[in-house]
Amino acid sequence: MARGNGNGRASLWPWLAWAVLLVIADQFTKTLILGYYRLGDATYVTSFFNIVRAHNTGAAFSFLADAGGWQRWLFTGIAVATAAFILWQLRAHPGQKLFCFALSSILGGAIGNVVDRLQHGYVVDFLDFHLRGWHFPAFNVADAAITVGAACLILDELLRVRRER
């Protein structure tokens, strides 16, 4: 079903500002990690969380990390195409707050990781959660934004379906 604007006077700019804020926060934290940590360095924070410096040449959970380098351009291309689609959707539906928050979060995260891929050839990860020897793959602010955005997209769709009943 087509999504209505929800507000004829809604603006695209707050959503773009949110995406830019996420990119800035992501790149700032990654700059700190690159400046203060060597690859593999870690700092104990709590019994379940460390700050580490890790490089991911692949996608989520290091998918295709050992593919030989071509994946850098594949993932960059996918992110650029996704960003264009998201911009189109944000422009079409700026008044749908949860939907646009979700998309702009994904947009900011995708751009943050593309900056890394273009600048370094890998994505800088540094948030390391663990429990009893099990480690969740390290991630970063951009990854967290993408995850929150995806969860909000699911919630938005569930709420939309519920409203239509």
Side-chain angles (χ1 to χ4, degrees):
M1 176 175 207
R3 294 182 179 270
N5 176 317
N7 180 352
R9 296 184 349 222
S11 173
L12 175 67
W13 295 110
W15 308 119
L16 295 179
W18 175 244
V20 168
L21 182 65
L22 288 171
V23 172
I24 290 168
D26 178 64
Q27 290 301 302
F28 177 74
T29 55
K30 290 173 178 175
T31 298
L32 290 175
I33 295 301
L34 290 170
Y36 291 100
Y37 287 76
R38 292 184 310 247
L39 182 61
D41 283 354
T43 300
Y44 172 89
V45 179
T46 70
S47 62
F48 62 89
F49 175 66
N50 299 326
I51 301 287
V52 301
R53 178 172 167 181
H55 297 170
N56 183 0
T57 57
F61 306 110
S62 296
F63 176 67
L64 293 177
D66 297 326
W70 59 266
Q71 73 277 21
R72 171 185 186 185
W73 304 110
L74 172 68
F75 297 138
T76 298
I78 290 170
V80 169
T82 300
F85 176 76
I86 288 172
L87 288 170
W88 175 60
Q89 288 295 302
L90 288 172
R91 188 167 182 263
H93 311 289
Q96 294 183 355
K97 292 179 180 172
L98 182 58
F99 180 69
C100 290
F101 173 79
L103 289 181
S104 59
S105 295
I106 293 169
L107 178 64
I111 291 171
N113 282 339
V114 163
V115 168
D116 279 17
R117 288 187 196 288
L118 294 175
Q119 192 172 41
H120 308 295
Y122 53 82
V123 173
V124 177
D125 290 326
F126 57 91
L127 301 170
D128 176 38
F129 287 88
H130 55 88
L131 184 63
R132 297 185 179 133
W134 175 83
H135 282 258
F136 189 80
F139 62 100
N140 57 48
V141 172
D143 298 333
I146 292 168
T147 301
V148 167
C152 287
L153 271 182
I154 293 167
L155 177 60
D156 180 66
E157 184 62 14
L158 292 172
L159 293 172
R160 184 190 65 78
V161 168
R162 187 174 183 188
R163 279 190 306 268
E164 290 179 358
R165 286 187 178 176

